[in-house]
Amino acid sequence: MFSTDHNVEKLADLIVIMKDYVKLQANYLQLDATEKTIKILSLIVLSITIWFFFLLALFFLSFAAVFWLNDQYDYTMPEAFLIVAGVHMCIFIVIYLKRHSWIEKPLVKRIANILLNKTPQ
């Protein structure tokens, strides 16, 4: 009863379908991994680009502040540079103290959203 040609034929068809399904699943996983890798790399490149232009603007604004302090308040150039450096150090300390909530948590959340296929918030 189980050894009829029809049953063997259906079993062979089922094996072919299962092989195709496994290949499609493997392709899907490969495409999904590629998509996630591209999203993470684009996030890294975008972050680096934004930080580069932010630091470039900060550099020029710092020089502008030095020259403004020199002209407006008659500070010498070394004094003006020290004042601007002090402001930068204060900002750096605040950012360093808040790095977990301002930088690490949002970055980890964003990467986890990408890896878990959630839409970014």
Side-chain angles (χ1 to χ4, degrees):
M1 179 174 178
F2 289 110
S3 63
T4 64
D5 289 338
H6 180 67
N7 288 341
V8 172
E9 199 174 287
K10 289 292 183 183
L11 188 59
D13 289 343
L14 182 61
I15 291 172
V16 168
I17 290 171
M18 288 299 291
K19 284 182 181 179
D20 288 341
Y21 175 76
V22 169
K23 285 179 188 176
L24 288 174
Q25 283 298 105
N27 287 341
Y28 173 75
L29 290 175
Q30 185 179 15
L31 288 173
D32 191 44
T34 303
E35 178 189 14
K36 290 175 182 179
T37 303
I38 289 171
K39 284 183 179 181
I40 290 172
L41 287 175
S42 67
L43 177 66
I44 290 170
V45 168
L46 181 65
S47 297
I48 289 172
T49 304
I50 288 171
W51 277 104
F52 172 76
F53 285 111
F54 172 75
L55 291 175
L56 188 66
L58 182 65
F59 177 75
F60 285 112
L61 287 173
S62 297
F63 271 98
V66 166
F67 287 113
W68 181 77
L69 286 171
N70 183 296
D71 289 341
Q72 198 71 18
Y73 296 106
D74 294 326
Y75 286 117
T76 63
M77 289 299 268
E79 291 172 336
F81 274 106
L82 285 173
I83 291 170
V84 171
V87 170
H88 285 179
M89 285 304 296
C90 290
I91 293 170
F92 172 76
I93 290 170
V94 168
I95 290 173
Y96 181 77
L97 293 174
K98 300 297 263 179
R99 72 187 181 278
H100 295 293
S101 61
W102 289 355
I103 298 170
E104 289 178 10
K105 284 183 183 178
L107 188 60
V108 167
K109 188 175 181 179
R110 183 81 184 255
I111 291 174
N113 285 339
I114 289 171
L115 291 175
L116 297 175
N117 276 338
K118 294 180 181 176
T119 56
Q121 299 174 358

